[in-house]
Amino acid sequence: MIISIDSNSGFCFGVTRAINTAQTELRNGALYCLGDIVHNGQEVARLEEAGLQTIDYDDLRTLPSHSRVLLRAHGEPPSTYWIARQRGIQLFDATCPVVKKLQDRIRACYEAHKNDEALPPQIVIYGKAGHAEVIGLQGQTNNTAIVIENEAQLNLLDFSRPIYLFSQTTKSVEGFQSLVEAIKSQFTDHNSPLAFEAHDTICRNVANRVAQLQAFARENDIVLFVGGTKSSNARVLFNHCLEANPNTYFLSSAEEMSESLINECRAAERVGICGATSTPQWLMEKVRDKLSLIPSF
Ligand code: SF4
């Protein structure tokens, strides 16, 4: 059995930057992180063992002044910065620069159109409602942005008003394009003066991985995709792997490998291990090490 780890899988630069910030700042004193630092339970547990304390918004409102709080790569709405200022909390802002740029674009769009009273604009975010990044993006519009996840939710939009569409950074390019086409088709009068602007703001750190990941999936008989159950990026990339190789399995840890999956791996010639932008390298290595200990036939 040949076991290989995909060299293109693992933390993207935004997540690496946030984790490096956490590790550096943990050396300088107690550190809280607002929400899970990464959508990977195993990596969160590792950093919590090193002293990082994960908190929620209620905790943020009651922390003593001068507490040190890390903002993760997903970014935050303006209200978080306001609360921190009010409470004298010291922030370590590890918002990914790609997310920050998207927040700025959405805020600029909101500011430019918020007073268009005759035809009130709709800022639409193609994303997962309630996702941390999406909460941060909605905050740029005073929470007026409409979040839709698929074409079935197009009924939330008013096609007699302008639409400015943006995307959460980890959504799929194909999904975005098909949503754009579906919105266009709703504007029945093609000479309509109504504005429809589609801004493809998907992070290429994710999108560019798809082709490489699918090529890797095809090279292997069995693919073990390692990712966190809370990660939307992991779900998207897993589905792309599955498309390329139906023998793809989702694991959040090495311990999740069932007896039947181990037997399937035993019978395979090539087993590939890959993961999402939130999957730590050490977790993929643990899966590899567990398989390496299996006596081959
Ligand atoms: S996926 Fe892209 S936008 Fe999201 S944290 Fe990573 S680099 Fe930043």
Side-chain angles (χ1 to χ4, degrees):
M1 190 205 311
I2 299 171
I3 307 167
S4 53
I5 296 179
D6 177 27
S7 58
N8 295 304
S9 288
F11 289 160
C12 59
F13 94 95
V15 171
T16 303
R17 189 171 164 268
I19 287 172
N20 287 345
T21 306
Q23 291 179 152
T24 304
E25 293 306 329
L26 274 168
R27 288 196 280 271
N28 299 327
L31 186 68
Y32 299 93
C33 181
L34 185 55
D36 288 345
I37 187 164
V38 60
H39 285 159
N40 187 285
Q42 311 278 316
E43 180 66 359
V44 169
R46 184 186 75 82
L47 286 163
E48 285 183 346
E49 262 172 47
L52 187 66
Q53 299 174 65
T54 305
I55 57 165
D56 60 20
Y57 287 108
D58 288 339
D59 299 324
L60 185 71
R61 288 189 188 89
T62 53
L63 282 181
S65 63
H66 304 299
S67 297
R68 304 164 75 241
V69 175
L70 176 77
L71 302 183
R72 58 195 172 169
H74 294 107
E76 286 294 323
S79 55
T80 300
Y81 295 87
W82 185 84
I83 294 168
R85 262 197 313 277
Q86 295 297 308
R87 299 206 53 79
I89 286 168
Q90 188 183 1
L91 290 180
F92 296 87
D93 192 349
T95 302
C96 173
V98 178
V99 175
K100 181 76 183 69
K101 195 169 160 198
L102 171 56
Q103 289 184 341
D104 292 346
R105 285 179 72 179
I106 291 180
R107 190 167 54 253
C109 181
Y110 171 70
E111 293 296 336
H113 298 288
K114 70 178 181 190
N115 296 322
D116 297 352
E117 280 170 14
L119 279 173
Q122 299 161 95
I123 294 182
V124 179
I125 298 166
Y126 168 48
K128 189 171 172 15
H131 185 282
E133 180 189 318
V134 173
I135 292 171
L137 299 179
Q138 282 180 291
Q140 310 307 317
T141 66
N142 203 15
N143 294 320
T144 58
I146 302 165
V147 180
I148 59 173
E149 214 176 341
N150 49 47
E151 289 160 41
Q153 293 177 324
L154 284 181
N155 59 340
L156 297 175
L157 308 186
D158 176 354
F159 293 96
S160 64
R161 287 164 48 202
I163 291 175
Y164 301 92
L165 176 69
F166 294 86
S167 176
Q168 181 184 342
T169 56
T170 47
K171 296 300 279 181
S172 89
V173 174
E174 295 75 27
F176 181 79
Q177 283 164 350
S178 105
L179 192 64
V180 169
E181 291 311 314
I183 293 176
K184 274 187 190 161
S185 72
Q186 297 282 335
F187 286 103
T188 44
D189 176 3
H190 292 290
N191 295 318
S192 164
L194 283 182
F196 170 46
E197 287 179 13
H199 300 277
D200 174 354
T201 49
I202 294 161
C203 174
R204 269 28 193 183
N205 278 286
V206 179
N208 291 343
R209 283 191 184 192
V210 173
Q212 295 159 333
L213 203 56
Q214 288 194 320
F216 178 80
R218 282 190 204 98
E219 282 164 12
N220 288 282
D221 303 314
I222 292 187
V223 178
L224 303 178
F225 187 98
V226 188
T229 47
K230 289 191 207 165
S231 163
S232 61
N233 167 244
R235 195 46 61 185
V236 168
L237 293 181
F238 167 72
N239 284 331
H240 283 297
C241 272
L242 195 61
E243 214 175 82
N245 184 338
N247 297 318
T248 300
Y249 298 90
F250 191 98
L251 294 174
S252 50
S253 68
E255 291 71 36
E256 268 181 21
M257 255 188 285
S258 66
E259 202 52 46
S260 68
L261 180 56
I262 290 173
N263 285 337
E264 246 191 89
C265 291
R266 268 199 185 113
E269 266 180 44
R270 298 185 70 93
V271 177
I273 299 166
C274 56
T277 55
S278 53
T279 306
Q281 181 72 19
W282 63 263
L283 198 52
M284 293 186 282
E285 287 169 1
K286 265 182 102 173
V287 172
R288 179 200 58 198
D289 294 348
K290 177 154 183 175
L291 278 179
S292 306
L293 294 174
I294 299 171
S296 44
F297 288 143

